[in-house]
Amino acid sequence: MTVRQADNVLRFFEYFAQARKPATLTQLSETLDLPLSSTSNLVATLRHRGYLFEVRRRGGFYPTRRMYDVSRSILDGDPVLGLVRDHMADLRDRTGETVLLAARDGDSVIYLDTLESAKGVRYSARPGETRPVYAISSGKAILAALPDDVLERELKRIDFSGAARTSITDIDALMRNIRDGRARGWFLNATEYTPEVSGIGMLLEVAGQQLGLSVAGPNYRMQGRHEEIAEALADTIRAIRAQVDDGWSAA
């Protein structure tokens, strides 16, 4: 279910994030597929609230810094991201690959934060993007925290219609894959969603949340390094837990 007005506002700002230049009412109306009257009302509201300004008369509109400032304030107050981000940066530097923090959202996981590798060829993802919970390592780590009977019911309920050709969609095979990860202590996405990309993930329990922390990169760099990366992940999770134990959770 989508609330149309909210969806329009989000698409409005996503348009400017991609276009990075002013746009006229007509351009916005055509691009967002909205009636000109609705576009005009949206622009008027955002201008009144200080989120939008007219670059020059008939020169188009562009967002102000207000959205950035509001978003920055929200992120600064996020107890999980504030705690975890520095450790994610250390993990990225240690492994040389992209590090991702994810939470479950129904049949998907949503990335709460991502720190991309500095290498030219790398796995790229942005906060807010989603992936199938069953097809990536962090999702498997979150699923593995469920008791087996609950896990099996969850897998039987999941809609696999959007699965990639290489995703594991057989329930028995997926159960075995997740159990193998439990026994091993870490979870593997072996090109099950993005072609030629692998991921290693573990469960991170912090601030009462069950999250997935993972490292992902191109196969040719990940192959032969699974144990090494899993060890780096485990060290990172221990460091986060130690910080929590030192009094962060009581603060």
Side-chain angles (χ1 to χ4, degrees):
M1 177 180 175
T2 300
V3 177
R4 180 176 294 276
Q5 292 90 336
D7 185 63
N8 290 341
V9 173
L10 294 173
R11 290 195 301 120
F12 183 90
F13 283 106
E14 287 169 353
Y15 164 78
F16 281 108
Q18 183 174 13
R20 298 188 179 187
K21 61 182 181 181
T24 65
L25 277 175
T26 301
Q27 288 171 331
L28 289 168
S29 174
E30 292 174 351
T31 302
L32 300 176
D33 194 24
L34 292 174
L36 192 59
S37 59
S38 299
T39 306
S40 179
N41 291 337
L42 178 58
V43 166
T45 300
L46 292 173
R47 289 183 71 187
H48 176 71
R49 294 294 303 274
Y51 288 95
L52 197 70
F53 75 105
E54 190 171 20
V55 177
R56 61 183 181 279
R57 184 167 178 78
R58 302 186 185 280
F61 300 92
Y62 200 76
T64 67
R65 282 180 52 93
R66 183 168 175 79
M67 177 60 77
Y68 171 81
D69 292 338
V70 169
S71 300
R72 178 76 178 267
S73 181
I74 292 170
L75 289 174
D76 286 346
D78 188 310
V80 175
L81 294 185
L83 170 67
V84 175
R85 199 163 217 275
D86 288 345
H87 294 284
M88 289 177 63
D90 291 340
L91 181 60
R92 177 192 57 187
D93 294 344
R94 178 173 171 180
T95 62
E97 302 298 345
T98 297
V99 177
L100 309 109
L101 181 69
R104 187 176 180 186
D105 184 13
D107 290 349
S108 302
V109 296
I110 184 168
Y111 288 134
L112 304 180
D113 201 4
T114 65
L115 292 180
E116 293 189 2
S117 167
K119 296 178 179 176
V121 178
R122 62 184 180 270
Y123 177 64
S124 295
R126 295 180 180 178
E129 290 185 5
T130 60
R131 303 286 187 270
V133 68
Y134 55 85
I136 64 169
S137 59
S138 56
K140 293 179 186 180
I142 295 170
L143 288 174
L146 299 171
D148 271 1
D149 58 335
V150 178
L151 173 60
E152 187 170 6
R153 286 201 302 271
E154 285 287 284
L155 295 183
K156 288 179 178 178
R157 184 195 55 76
I158 285 177
D159 178 9
F160 292 100
S161 61
R165 182 180 56 82
T166 51
S167 298
I168 302 172
T169 56
D170 178 80
I171 303 301
D172 292 336
L174 191 51
M175 282 287 292
R176 287 194 300 272
N177 183 276
I178 292 174
R179 286 184 180 130
D180 288 346
R182 274 198 203 131
R184 193 171 49 223
W186 50 270
F187 299 84
L188 175 65
N189 156 22
T191 318
E192 293 166 44
Y193 184 75
T194 304
E196 303 304 321
V197 169
S198 297
I200 305 294
M202 288 184 177
L203 182 70
L204 171 62
E205 296 183 281
V206 62
Q209 299 184 59
Q210 290 185 328
L211 307 173
L213 185 64
S214 62
V215 175
N219 285 346
Y220 72 90
R221 288 204 305 263
M222 295 288 287
Q223 286 170 354
R225 299 184 62 208
H226 292 173
E227 293 286 352
E228 170 199 340
I229 291 172
E231 182 179 352
L233 261 171
D235 288 345
T236 299
I237 289 172
R238 280 192 290 267
I240 293 169
R241 288 175 178 166
Q243 188 172 343
V244 171
D245 293 341
D246 282 344
W248 175 84
S249 59

mmCIF file of all heavy atoms in Angstrom, residues 126-152:
data_model
loop_
_atom_site.group_PDB
_atom_site.id
_atom_site.type_symbol
_atom_site.label_atom_id
_atom_site.label_comp_id
_atom_site.label_asym_id
_atom_site.label_seq_id
_atom_site.Cartn_x
_atom_site.Cartn_y
_atom_site.Cartn_z
ATOM 1 N N ARG A 126 23.135 1.804 -1.846
ATOM 2 C CA ARG A 126 22.857 3.020 -1.090
ATOM 3 C C ARG A 126 21.914 2.735 0.063
ATOM 4 O O ARG A 126 21.072 1.833 -0.027
ATOM 5 C CB ARG A 126 22.227 4.076 -2.005
ATOM 6 C CG ARG A 126 23.134 4.574 -3.119
ATOM 7 C CD ARG A 126 22.415 5.600 -3.962
ATOM 8 N NE ARG A 126 23.262 6.111 -5.045
ATOM 9 C CZ ARG A 126 22.861 6.989 -5.939
ATOM 10 N NH1 ARG A 126 21.617 7.443 -5.911
ATOM 11 N NH2 ARG A 126 23.692 7.411 -6.886
ATOM 12 N N PRO A 127 22.020 3.504 1.149
ATOM 13 C CA PRO A 127 21.028 3.381 2.225
ATOM 14 C C PRO A 127 19.620 3.568 1.669
ATOM 15 O O PRO A 127 19.382 4.426 0.821
ATOM 16 C CB PRO A 127 21.412 4.518 3.184
ATOM 17 C CG PRO A 127 22.870 4.744 2.942
ATOM 18 C CD PRO A 127 23.072 4.506 1.465
ATOM 19 N N GLY A 128 18.714 2.734 2.148
ATOM 20 C CA GLY A 128 17.335 2.788 1.666
ATOM 21 C C GLY A 128 17.028 1.777 0.588
ATOM 22 O O GLY A 128 15.855 1.470 0.342
ATOM 23 N N GLU A 129 18.057 1.234 -0.069
ATOM 24 C CA GLU A 129 17.821 0.193 -1.064
ATOM 25 C C GLU A 129 17.458 -1.117 -0.362
ATOM 26 O O GLU A 129 17.870 -1.368 0.781
ATOM 27 C CB GLU A 129 19.058 -0.019 -1.938
ATOM 28 C CG GLU A 129 19.341 1.146 -2.872
ATOM 29 C CD GLU A 129 20.504 0.866 -3.811
ATOM 30 O OE1 GLU A 129 21.029 -0.264 -3.802
ATOM 31 O OE2 GLU A 129 20.890 1.790 -4.546
ATOM 32 N N THR A 130 16.698 -1.952 -1.046
ATOM 33 C CA THR A 130 16.269 -3.224 -0.476
ATOM 34 C C THR A 130 16.779 -4.389 -1.307
ATOM 35 O O THR A 130 17.063 -4.242 -2.495
ATOM 36 C CB THR A 130 14.734 -3.302 -0.382
ATOM 37 O OG1 THR A 130 14.171 -3.173 -1.695
ATOM 38 C CG2 THR A 130 14.186 -2.205 0.520
ATOM 39 N N ARG A 131 16.883 -5.531 -0.653
ATOM 40 C CA ARG A 131 17.270 -6.779 -1.296
ATOM 41 C C ARG A 131 16.419 -7.906 -0.707
ATOM 42 O O ARG A 131 15.973 -7.815 0.440
ATOM 43 C CB ARG A 131 18.750 -7.090 -1.061
ATOM 44 C CG ARG A 131 19.733 -6.018 -1.529
ATOM 45 C CD ARG A 131 19.849 -6.001 -3.036
ATOM 46 N NE ARG A 131 20.903 -5.110 -3.495
ATOM 47 C CZ ARG A 131 20.733 -3.827 -3.788
ATOM 48 N NH1 ARG A 131 19.531 -3.291 -3.665
ATOM 49 N NH2 ARG A 131 21.736 -3.083 -4.207
ATOM 50 N N PRO A 132 16.203 -9.000 -1.451
ATOM 51 C CA PRO A 132 15.450 -10.132 -0.900
ATOM 52 C C PRO A 132 16.151 -10.714 0.319
ATOM 53 O O PRO A 132 17.360 -10.966 0.288
ATOM 54 C CB PRO A 132 15.430 -11.134 -2.059
ATOM 55 C CG PRO A 132 15.702 -10.324 -3.286
ATOM 56 C CD PRO A 132 16.613 -9.217 -2.849
ATOM 57 N N VAL A 133 15.418 -10.922 1.397
ATOM 58 C CA VAL A 133 16.024 -11.364 2.653
ATOM 59 C C VAL A 133 16.702 -12.721 2.516
ATOM 60 O O VAL A 133 17.695 -13.012 3.194
ATOM 61 C CB VAL A 133 14.959 -11.391 3.780
ATOM 62 C CG1 VAL A 133 13.917 -12.478 3.526
ATOM 63 C CG2 VAL A 133 15.608 -11.551 5.142
ATOM 64 N N TYR A 134 16.206 -13.562 1.603
ATOM 65 C CA TYR A 134 16.714 -14.925 1.470
ATOM 66 C C TYR A 134 17.943 -15.025 0.567
ATOM 67 O O TYR A 134 18.590 -16.072 0.517
ATOM 68 C CB TYR A 134 15.615 -15.838 0.880
ATOM 69 C CG TYR A 134 15.055 -15.330 -0.422
ATOM 70 C CD1 TYR A 134 15.669 -15.613 -1.645
ATOM 71 C CD2 TYR A 134 13.916 -14.532 -0.439
ATOM 72 C CE1 TYR A 134 15.168 -15.130 -2.837
ATOM 73 C CE2 TYR A 134 13.403 -14.033 -1.626
ATOM 74 C CZ TYR A 134 14.031 -14.332 -2.821
ATOM 75 O OH TYR A 134 13.531 -13.843 -3.998
ATOM 76 N N ALA A 135 18.278 -13.925 -0.137
ATOM 77 C CA ALA A 135 19.288 -14.026 -1.194
ATOM 78 C C ALA A 135 20.606 -13.361 -0.850
ATOM 79 O O ALA A 135 21.553 -13.460 -1.632
ATOM 80 C CB ALA A 135 18.744 -13.428 -2.495
ATOM 81 N N ILE A 136 20.689 -12.677 0.284
ATOM 82 C CA ILE A 136 21.948 -12.017 0.632
ATOM 83 C C ILE A 136 22.387 -12.455 2.027
ATOM 84 O O ILE A 136 21.577 -12.898 2.853
ATOM 85 C CB ILE A 136 21.839 -10.482 0.549
ATOM 86 C CG1 ILE A 136 20.843 -9.936 1.558
ATOM 87 C CG2 ILE A 136 21.468 -10.047 -0.852
ATOM 88 C CD1 ILE A 136 20.904 -8.432 1.672
ATOM 89 N N SER A 137 23.674 -12.307 2.281
ATOM 90 C CA SER A 137 24.256 -12.879 3.496
ATOM 91 C C SER A 137 23.698 -12.258 4.772
ATOM 92 O O SER A 137 23.444 -12.967 5.755
ATOM 93 C CB SER A 137 25.776 -12.734 3.462
ATOM 94 O OG SER A 137 26.162 -11.373 3.368
ATOM 95 N N SER A 138 23.489 -10.943 4.786
ATOM 96 C CA SER A 138 22.954 -10.313 5.991
ATOM 97 C C SER A 138 21.519 -10.756 6.256
ATOM 98 O O SER A 138 21.112 -10.934 7.413
ATOM 99 C CB SER A 138 23.018 -8.787 5.875
ATOM 100 O OG SER A 138 22.342 -8.334 4.728
ATOM 101 N N GLY A 139 20.744 -10.954 5.193
ATOM 102 C CA GLY A 139 19.383 -11.450 5.355
ATOM 103 C C GLY A 139 19.357 -12.852 5.926
ATOM 104 O O GLY A 139 18.550 -13.182 6.808
ATOM 105 N N LYS A 140 20.245 -13.708 5.429
ATOM 106 C CA LYS A 140 20.322 -15.071 5.958
ATOM 107 C C LYS A 140 20.721 -15.061 7.430
ATOM 108 O O LYS A 140 20.219 -15.870 8.228
ATOM 109 C CB LYS A 140 21.325 -15.890 5.152
ATOM 110 C CG LYS A 140 20.900 -16.152 3.721
ATOM 111 C CD LYS A 140 21.972 -16.942 2.989
ATOM 112 C CE LYS A 140 21.661 -17.117 1.524
ATOM 113 N NZ LYS A 140 22.695 -17.888 0.817
ATOM 114 N N ALA A 141 21.627 -14.158 7.803
ATOM 115 C CA ALA A 141 22.049 -14.062 9.198
ATOM 116 C C ALA A 141 20.877 -13.693 10.101
ATOM 117 O O ALA A 141 20.731 -14.236 11.208
ATOM 118 C CB ALA A 141 23.171 -13.034 9.340
ATOM 119 N N ILE A 142 20.016 -12.788 9.625
ATOM 120 C CA ILE A 142 18.838 -12.398 10.400
ATOM 121 C C ILE A 142 17.842 -13.545 10.479
ATOM 122 O O ILE A 142 17.285 -13.841 11.546
ATOM 123 C CB ILE A 142 18.202 -11.140 9.786
ATOM 124 C CG1 ILE A 142 19.159 -9.949 9.903
ATOM 125 C CG2 ILE A 142 16.874 -10.820 10.458
ATOM 126 C CD1 ILE A 142 18.726 -8.725 9.123
ATOM 127 N N LEU A 143 17.615 -14.219 9.352
ATOM 128 C CA LEU A 143 16.686 -15.352 9.344
ATOM 129 C C LEU A 143 17.171 -16.470 10.262
ATOM 130 O O LEU A 143 16.361 -17.151 10.916
ATOM 131 C CB LEU A 143 16.528 -15.890 7.921
ATOM 132 C CG LEU A 143 15.734 -15.044 6.941
ATOM 133 C CD1 LEU A 143 15.813 -15.646 5.539
ATOM 134 C CD2 LEU A 143 14.282 -14.912 7.382
ATOM 135 N N ALA A 144 18.472 -16.680 10.321
ATOM 136 C CA ALA A 144 19.034 -17.786 11.097
ATOM 137 C C ALA A 144 18.798 -17.630 12.588
ATOM 138 O O ALA A 144 18.920 -18.610 13.350
ATOM 139 C CB ALA A 144 20.531 -17.909 10.825
ATOM 140 N N ALA A 145 18.463 -16.424 13.038
ATOM 141 C CA ALA A 145 18.185 -16.213 14.456
ATOM 142 C C ALA A 145 16.835 -16.796 14.859
ATOM 143 O O ALA A 145 16.548 -16.935 16.051
ATOM 144 C CB ALA A 145 18.226 -14.720 14.770
ATOM 145 N N LEU A 146 15.998 -17.146 13.874
ATOM 146 C CA LEU A 146 14.688 -17.736 14.158
ATOM 147 C C LEU A 146 14.833 -19.215 14.508
ATOM 148 O O LEU A 146 15.697 -19.903 13.962
ATOM 149 C CB LEU A 146 13.776 -17.603 12.935
ATOM 150 C CG LEU A 146 13.451 -16.194 12.451
ATOM 151 C CD1 LEU A 146 12.724 -16.253 11.107
ATOM 152 C CD2 LEU A 146 12.616 -15.452 13.479
ATOM 153 N N PRO A 147 13.996 -19.733 15.403
ATOM 154 C CA PRO A 147 13.960 -21.185 15.629
ATOM 155 C C PRO A 147 13.609 -21.907 14.330
ATOM 156 O O PRO A 147 12.927 -21.346 13.463
ATOM 157 C CB PRO A 147 12.851 -21.360 16.677
ATOM 158 C CG PRO A 147 12.695 -20.011 17.314
ATOM 159 C CD PRO A 147 13.043 -19.001 16.265
ATOM 160 N N ASP A 148 14.053 -23.131 14.194
ATOM 161 C CA ASP A 148 13.881 -23.852 12.928
ATOM 162 C C ASP A 148 12.431 -23.938 12.477
ATOM 163 O O ASP A 148 12.139 -23.799 11.276
ATOM 164 C CB ASP A 148 14.471 -25.260 13.044
ATOM 165 C CG ASP A 148 15.941 -25.297 12.663
ATOM 166 O OD1 ASP A 148 16.482 -24.218 12.332
ATOM 167 O OD2 ASP A 148 16.545 -26.377 12.700
ATOM 168 N N ASP A 149 11.507 -24.184 13.414
ATOM 169 C CA ASP A 149 10.107 -24.319 12.997
ATOM 170 C C ASP A 149 9.558 -22.996 12.482
ATOM 171 O O ASP A 149 8.821 -22.954 11.486
ATOM 172 C CB ASP A 149 9.242 -24.860 14.146
ATOM 173 C CG ASP A 149 9.301 -23.985 15.393
ATOM 174 O OD1 ASP A 149 10.305 -23.258 15.575
ATOM 175 O OD2 ASP A 149 8.338 -24.028 16.193
ATOM 176 N N VAL A 150 9.946 -21.904 13.134
ATOM 177 C CA VAL A 150 9.508 -20.583 12.687
ATOM 178 C C VAL A 150 10.180 -20.232 11.361
ATOM 179 O O VAL A 150 9.553 -19.694 10.444
ATOM 180 C CB VAL A 150 9.830 -19.508 13.745
ATOM 181 C CG1 VAL A 150 9.407 -18.128 13.246
ATOM 182 C CG2 VAL A 150 9.128 -19.832 15.058
ATOM 183 N N LEU A 151 11.467 -20.541 11.248
ATOM 184 C CA LEU A 151 12.201 -20.283 10.013
ATOM 185 C C LEU A 151 11.561 -21.003 8.834
ATOM 186 O O LEU A 151 11.372 -20.408 7.757
ATOM 187 C CB LEU A 151 13.658 -20.719 10.175
ATOM 188 C CG LEU A 151 14.530 -20.664 8.919
ATOM 189 C CD1 LEU A 151 14.598 -19.246 8.367
ATOM 190 C CD2 LEU A 151 15.925 -21.197 9.216
ATOM 191 N N GLU A 152 11.218 -22.259 9.012
ATOM 192 C CA GLU A 152 10.616 -23.019 7.915
ATOM 193 C C GLU A 152 9.283 -22.419 7.496
ATOM 194 O O GLU A 152 8.984 -22.307 6.306
ATOM 195 C CB GLU A 152 10.426 -24.477 8.329
ATOM 196 C CG GLU A 152 9.962 -25.367 7.182
ATOM 197 C CD GLU A 152 10.011 -26.847 7.527
ATOM 198 O OE1 GLU A 152 10.301 -27.184 8.691
ATOM 199 O OE2 GLU A 152 9.763 -27.659 6.623
#
